[in-house]
């Protein structure tokens, strides 16, 4: 069981099983949402994740694919919690910084390296994709 939540405690979530992949995303939208050079994300099947508490949603339509991404965050403290692609695949992205214990989840993939900041060094041996994998 993987658990986490927002900064103020109003939102808590649980994920069953291991993530499909742990990835660093260097796209502009993820950088803006994370407030950092990239976002570290755990990808799950949506059915594996449950949450308690109210989430606010921003529909991000500025995407390469044209499919919106629902950016879900705590409406009280603003912590980004999930990103939900609307491409019909039923996947949910959990923001690693919100995990109770993020230490075990080392990113094995970087996506959108074509837009990575020039001063970011990718970990040696990590798979890298110029766009989405």
């Amino acid at each position: 069981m993987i658990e986490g939540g927002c900064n103020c405690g109003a939102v808590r979530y649980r994920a069953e099983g291991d993530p499909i992949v742990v990835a660093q995303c260097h796209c502009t939208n993820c950088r803006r949402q994370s407030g950092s050079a990239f976002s570290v994300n755990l990808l799950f099947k949506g059915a594996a994740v449950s949450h308690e508490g109210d989430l606010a949603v921003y529909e991000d339509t500025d995407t390469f694919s044209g499919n919106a991404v629902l950016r879900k965050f705590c409406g009280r403290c603003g912590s980004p919690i999930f990103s939900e692609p609307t491409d019909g695949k039923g996947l949910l992205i959990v923001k690693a910084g919100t995990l109770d214990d993020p230490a075990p989840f080392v990113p094995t993939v970087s996506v959108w390296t074509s837009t990575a900041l020039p001063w970011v060094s990718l970990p040696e041996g990590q798979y890298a994709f110029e766009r989405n994998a």
Side-chain angles (χ1 to χ4, degrees):
M1 178 81 67
I2 299 168
E3 296 183 304
C6 68
N7 213 24
C8 71
V11 175
R12 294 288 303 161
Y13 65 82
R14 288 170 202 80
E16 298 283 340
D18 293 327
I20 297 166
V21 70
V22 180
Q24 292 175 195
C25 184
H26 298 269
C27 80
T28 302
N29 296 18
C30 279
R31 287 199 319 256
R32 286 183 179 140
Q33 186 191 32
S34 70
S36 189
F38 52 84
S39 178
V40 179
N41 304 310
L42 284 72
L43 181 66
F44 288 95
K45 291 184 179 180
V49 181
S50 61
H51 80 278
E52 298 171 356
D54 293 327
L55 291 169
V57 179
Y58 168 69
E59 185 176 358
D60 186 351
T61 58
D62 182 23
T63 64
F64 181 76
S65 69
N67 295 316
V69 174
L70 303 179
R71 308 267 183 192
K72 299 182 177 187
F73 57 97
C74 175
R76 189 165 146 198
C77 69
S79 296
I81 306 293
F82 306 129
S83 291
E84 183 178 352
T86 61
D87 58 6
K89 295 179 182 174
L91 300 174
L92 187 69
I93 297 163
V94 174
K95 300 298 181 174
T98 65
L99 296 169
D100 290 346
D101 182 13
F105 300 98
V106 178
T108 57
V109 172
S110 271
V111 294
W112 285 99
T113 59
S114 62
T115 57
L117 296 174
W119 46 264
V120 171
S121 298
L122 301 181
E124 189 174 326
Q126 185 185 66
Y127 293 100
F129 298 92
E130 288 189 6
R131 297 199 170 164
N132 281 349

